């Protein structure tokens, strides 16, 4: 997308798995992850003189348990879609009108959300979920989640 629109892209490495508050996977995992991620991004954007730093939160995010939103507020991260009242449906429709190739892309939640609270998150376990979801994508499934349950995985796919 960056190349398509001529936008400079910079990859930023983060190390969430080194944070015990993330890897232990308690109910505040997302808060700690967002603190880590956006502190890192703030350092990069401030060094480049880019202000403000924004994220893609929207009105629908207020309907779910999202402890990461608190971290964003604490760090002063702007959420223009949320601030202007956009829902996911609004974003898809405007994206379609603008002919963006992602207008009908399936939602892409963080892989850490596939683990029940209290189940330790490791790079091996994340790779297992990612491998399974890649297989589903390769076999033309577009709306799914793979949930980690130790020796089992639960694959969620709509009936259609």
């Amino acid at each position: 997308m960056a190349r398509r629109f001529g936008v400079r892209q910079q990859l930023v490495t983060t190390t969430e798995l080194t944070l015990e508050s993330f890897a232990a996977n308690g109910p505040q995992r997302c808060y700690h992850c967002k603190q880590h991620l956006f502190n890192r991004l703030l350092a990069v954007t401030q060094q480049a003189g880019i202000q403000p730093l924004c994220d893609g939160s929207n009105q629908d995010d207020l309907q779910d348990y999202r402890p990461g939103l608190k971290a964003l507020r604490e760090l002063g991260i702007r959420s223009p879609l949320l601030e202007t009242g956009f829902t996911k449906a609004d974003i898809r429709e405007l994206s379609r009108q603008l002919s963006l190739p992602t207008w009908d892309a399936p939602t892409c939640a963080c892989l850490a959300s596939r683990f029940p609270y209290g189940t330790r998150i490791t790079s091996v376990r994340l790779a297992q979920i990612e491998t399974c979801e890649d297989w589903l994508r390769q076999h033309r499934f577009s709306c799914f989640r793979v949930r980690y349950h130790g020796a089992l995985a639960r694959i969620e796919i709509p009936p259609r």
Side-chain angles (χ1 to χ4, degrees):
M1 287 291 285
R3 194 175 310 117
R4 176 181 177 169
F5 292 104
V7 175
R8 183 175 61 92
Q9 179 181 26
Q10 180 177 347
L11 300 179
V12 177
T13 302
T14 59
T15 55
E16 293 86 354
L17 284 171
T18 65
L19 301 173
E20 179 57 27
S21 57
F22 174 83
N25 193 26
Q28 294 296 311
R29 175 201 71 239
C30 188
Y31 172 85
H32 298 293
C33 182
K34 293 287 187 189
Q35 277 282 336
H36 173 76
L37 171 64
F38 279 90
N39 270 312
R40 179 73 182 102
L41 294 174
L42 279 168
V44 171
T45 58
Q46 288 170 352
Q47 183 178 23
I50 299 168
Q51 289 294 325
L53 179 57
C54 300
D55 87 317
S57 298
N58 63 73
Q59 284 292 312
D60 291 336
D61 293 324
L62 299 178
Q63 307 307 311
D64 292 326
Y65 176 64
R66 304 281 178 142
L69 292 176
K70 179 181 177 196
L72 297 177
R73 284 191 304 272
E74 290 174 358
L75 294 170
I77 306 303
R78 298 289 304 271
S79 301
L81 299 169
L82 177 61
E83 293 166 15
T84 54
F86 274 75
T87 64
K88 289 177 184 167
D90 296 330
I91 296 163
R92 285 190 184 283
E93 178 55 25
L94 183 57
S95 297
R96 187 189 64 74
Q97 291 174 16
L98 294 171
S99 300
L100 296 178
T102 54
W103 77 269
D104 65 345
T107 58
C108 188
C110 173
L111 287 180
S113 69
R114 312 301 201 277
F115 297 84
Y117 289 133
T119 300
R120 187 158 198 84
I121 298 174
T122 68
S123 58
V124 170
R125 291 173 176 175
L126 287 167
Q128 289 172 327
I129 297 296
E130 188 173 37
T131 299
C132 187
E133 291 194 356
D134 285 346
W135 186 92
L136 290 166
R137 205 171 288 108
Q138 289 167 7
H139 288 81
R140 303 184 191 243
F141 290 94
S142 62
C143 185
F144 53 81
R145 290 284 183 271
V146 176
R147 305 281 181 190
Y148 182 92
H149 294 284
L152 300 174
R154 183 177 75 230
I155 300 174
E156 299 171 354
I157 300 174
R160 61 175 169 75

